[in-house]
Amino acid sequence: MPNAYFPNIAKPIPFEGKDSGNPLAFKYYDKNRRVGDKTMAEHLRFAVAWWHTFMGDGSDMFGGPAFDRAWHQATDPMDGAKATMDAAFEFFQKLGVEYYCFHDRDIAPTGDTFLQSCKNLQTMVEYAKTLQKETGIKLLWGTANLFSNPIYAQGAATSPNAHVMAHAAAQVKNAIDATHELGGENYVFWGGREGYETLLNTDLKREQEQLARFMHMAVEYKHKIGFDGQFLIEPKPCEPMKHQYDSDVAATLYFLNTYDLFEHFKMNVEANHATLAGHSFEHELAAASAAGKLGSVDANRGDLLLGWDTDQFPTDIYSTTLAMIIILRQNGLGRGGLNFDAKVRRSSHDPTDLFYAHIGGMDAFARGLLIAYEILRDKSLETFIEERYGSYKSGIGEKIMAGKIGFDELENWISSQDEPVLQSGRQEMLENIINAYIR
Ligand code: XUL
Ligand code: CO
């Protein structure tokens, strides 16, 4: 294993169990431990996000780069991209994750022309292919950065300028090719600039039609080249725009349904995007799962006292438990996974902080998995929920849901009945049950 960029981490992070006092060891994530019919690694399918972990330099609106990153030293952009890729694969191996995710412009620098950018991407894809082969590390998903280049300031697929939409299409084509070439298991669409700043200059219907047309072209292209990865849409309500069209799971499902795209996409649900949309993380997971559309997760957390996408590492066991209940109920994420779309704070400038951050996130989800598994195994919620809707299994409830009767029959039936007997929702009792499992 190379040892150039993280010399302080001499060997892969070990599993040492919950009583270990070693901050560079897993306390809960024991990748080969079986939980039900799968190992922890198979359940959780962790991925590292290239952009935050390897591209982030600690800059924010108030100050420049702050991080100590040996792989950012090169002056030539392609040399820098190669150094970054070496650092990334060293990091994956030392951390012990099997997957990563990238934007096209993360792994390869933007060139002076579109063609040069495509060439840079191809070169870096070839290099990534070699490193994937050597290490067994895989690509969970690829995506295109359709938000940094100033030409996308008014949207990419939803730009009022058809030339810009064509540019976006050509860029996505190349990003799908790169993902396909690297055996990516999914491809993500996050419409960072697909929205508006003001309705005064915006034809909202037309822009959504453009977005739909763009997605149809992507689906056609996917079939044309035989890419069998899952297409995912990642909802987010705002930031960078005032409003983004894929604002939450429900809005995205409506968009897919309206434009005949439903069968071709699933969702990549991000925790911090859910809270920005005024929902809980578990709400968005449940909404996607109920539609059979929960494909993958961007695992992070926000700060409820701040109104922006803070992209912090997930550490809240209660939240990971509720998330894992929903994921286990649908029998896992299939070809999706848990991608840490999260960044260390600006003051955590040391490369070792990247390890602490990921170890914490992986342990938080491993613990959530173990707790959720026990809750489901004991049917602690399931039996209650089943009984709560019991009145629809027979009698009048069964007739209603079978579509056999309507308002007239129900009026007749109700006239011969006493008042309904109500059952408690038992929220507090159920909350206590969950807490009893978090030990
Ligand atoms: C932005 C965000 C993106 C997507 C991929 O908030 O989450 O990084 O995950 O473009
Ligand atoms: Co994300």
Side-chain angles (χ1 to χ4, degrees):
M1 182 178 307
N3 193 27
Y5 293 101
F6 303 97
N8 291 342
I9 312 292
K11 53 182 177 46
I13 301 298
F15 166 74
E16 292 184 1
K18 70 179 171 51
D19 297 324
S20 164
N22 177 4
L24 287 169
F26 293 114
K27 314 289 184 300
Y28 292 91
Y29 181 61
D30 180 6
K31 65 177 171 192
N32 295 319
R33 173 170 171 189
R34 292 198 86 76
V35 181
D37 59 354
K38 287 187 220 163
T39 64
M40 277 197 165
E42 287 165 345
H43 275 291
L44 298 166
R45 296 167 59 83
F46 290 125
V48 173
W50 201 285
W51 49 104
H52 289 309
T53 295
F54 308 115
M55 306 305 284
D57 61 9
S59 304
D60 67 13
M61 264 123 86
F62 301 92
F67 291 165
D68 172 13
R69 298 287 185 259
W71 57 94
H72 287 174
Q73 301 306 318
T75 40
D76 175 71
M78 284 305 279
D79 290 346
K82 283 198 178 120
T84 302
M85 198 164 273
D86 288 335
F89 278 81
E90 183 181 327
F91 183 79
F92 304 149
Q93 290 176 83
K94 288 183 170 175
L95 183 63
V97 286
E98 286 174 43
Y99 291 97
Y100 68 103
C101 301
F102 66 71
H103 297 87
D104 49 359
R105 302 298 181 249
D106 303 334
I107 61 164
T110 308
D112 289 336
T113 61
F114 175 70
L115 284 183
Q116 188 58 51
S117 299
C118 293
K119 253 179 104 178
N120 292 349
L121 181 60
Q122 275 158 21
T123 307
M124 293 314 300
V125 164
E126 282 312 310
Y127 193 47
K129 230 168 147 177
T130 320
L131 293 176
Q132 285 189 188
K133 218 172 180 171
E134 272 171 33
T135 60
I137 285 151
K138 294 167 279 191
L139 178 62
L140 185 67
W141 51 261
T143 188
N145 177 332
L146 299 180
F147 44 90
S148 295
N149 188 329
I151 63 168
Y152 298 133
Q154 298 181 56
T158 60
S159 170
N161 182 333
H163 193 146
V164 173
M165 138 86 105
H167 191 284
Q171 189 181 330
V172 167
K173 174 195 176 290
N174 279 269
I176 295 174
D177 285 343
T179 304
H180 183 39
E181 190 69 26
L182 291 170
E185 299 193 24
N186 306 269
Y187 181 88
V188 165
F189 294 84
W190 171 60
R193 304 265 179 203
E194 312 296 18
Y196 59 81
E197 297 286 11
T198 171
L199 281 173
L200 294 177
N201 65 13
T202 302
D203 182 338
L204 191 138
K205 184 165 194 280
R206 177 193 282 270
E207 291 202 2
Q208 283 180 301
E209 285 166 4
Q210 283 176 216
L211 188 58
R213 180 70 199 112
F214 192 90
M215 294 308 203
H216 274 288
M217 289 191 287
V219 170
E220 279 160 27
Y221 186 68
K222 168 189 177 175
H223 291 144
K224 185 170 165 189
I225 63 169
F227 173 55
D228 67 355
Q230 173 68 53
F231 270 3
L232 300 167
I233 294 186
E234 183 176 321
K236 184 175 182 182
C238 55
E239 198 198 331
M241 303 300 265
K242 175 184 165 57
H243 175 83
Q244 281 144 219
Y245 296 127
D246 301 325
S247 51
D248 64 4
V249 167
T252 307
L253 291 172
Y254 170 78
F255 168 79
L256 292 175
N257 243 325
T258 305
Y259 294 104
D260 202 18
L261 287 159
F262 198 77
E263 66 182 294
H264 303 294
F265 290 85
K266 285 190 178 180
M267 305 286 156
N268 183 39
V269 170
E270 178 164 326
N272 205 167
H273 296 181
T275 52
L276 288 176
H279 304 306
S280 63
F281 179 30
E282 60 273 17
H283 167 85
E284 286 292 82
L285 293 171
S289 186
K293 293 290 174 188
L294 176 57
S296 202
V297 174
D298 269 8
N300 61 11
R301 78 173 204 276
D303 182 325
L304 293 178
L305 298 181
L306 300 175
W308 66 90
D309 198 9
T310 60
D311 282 340
Q312 288 167 251
F313 276 83
T315 52
D316 178 350
I317 310 299
Y318 200 80
S319 168
T320 58
T321 298
L322 297 184
M324 288 314 301
I325 288 175
I326 295 161
I327 292 169
L328 289 179
R329 272 190 188 139
Q330 68 158 37
N331 199 23
L333 290 170
R335 45 179 42 211
L338 298 173
N339 168 48
F340 292 112
D341 193 352
K343 59 187 178 212
V344 293
R345 298 305 87 186
R346 191 165 188 262
S347 53
S348 304
H349 58 89
D350 183 332
T352 307
D353 290 315
L354 295 173
F355 282 90
Y356 292 131
H358 283 86
I359 290 169
M362 291 163 80
D363 265 347
F365 267 94
R367 212 169 153 192
L369 164 67
L370 292 169
I371 297 165
Y373 180 77
E374 286 188 11
I375 292 169
L376 294 180
R377 181 200 58 199
D378 297 349
K379 300 197 188 318
S380 305
L381 300 177
E382 313 309 88
T383 309
F384 182 83
I385 295 172
E386 200 53 34
E387 281 171 12
R388 186 160 181 251
Y389 296 94
S391 63
Y392 285 91
K393 282 202 198 114
S394 59
I396 196 70
E398 189 186 19
K399 284 192 191 130
I400 293 171
M401 294 315 289
K404 288 184 190 146
I405 51 177
F407 276 11
D408 281 331
E409 292 79 359
L410 290 175
E411 187 189 31
N412 283 340
W413 185 81
I414 213 73
S415 320
S416 65
Q417 300 295 311
D418 296 333
E419 287 299 300
V421 181
L422 302 180
Q423 291 104 18
S424 168
R426 299 267 184 255
Q427 179 170 337
E428 296 77 10
M429 179 193 83
L430 296 169
E431 286 167 347
N432 296 348
I433 289 176
I434 300 285
N435 274 1
Y437 279 86
I438 302 179
R439 53 182 171 240

